[in-house]
Amino acid sequence: LEITPKSIQLHNALKYRSNVPMLLVAGNEQAGVDPGILSVSDRLIYLPMYGSKTSLNIAVAVGIAASMLLTPSCV
């Protein structure tokens, strides 16, 4: 979960779900995900946000992403 120029919205990432194991990496709320991890990642996703805030509490963000990625009917 990281906003970068190459990141796609979580809703768009749901279209690419498969039976291949997935690792969800979430970074520190201040520093984000380590650039070395970003460089070896197959797909970068972010949670779209509206309004003036630019980040969510990391526990909330991971909960939202995991719930959506693990729910078969969530598209």
Side-chain angles (χ1 to χ4, degrees):
L1 290 174
E2 186 69 77
I3 297 175
T4 74
K6 295 181 180 180
S7 296
I8 61 172
Q9 289 187 17
L10 176 60
H11 289 88
N12 292 333
L14 296 174
K15 298 173 187 174
Y16 302 106
R17 280 191 289 205
S18 69
N19 292 329
V20 176
M22 178 187 319
L23 173 66
L24 180 63
V25 176
N28 174 291
E29 292 176 38
Q30 298 292 321
V33 175
D34 182 274
I37 294 173
L38 293 175
S39 70
V40 297
S41 297
D42 293 326
R43 185 170 297 123
L44 305 173
I45 62 172
Y46 71 95
L47 295 172
M49 296 185 61
Y50 305 98
S52 60
K53 284 293 212 178
T54 58
S55 70
L56 292 170
N57 172 279
I58 193 66
V60 172
V62 169
I64 293 168
S67 175
M68 292 184 75
L69 290 167
L70 295 172
T71 304
S73 63
C74 196
V75 284

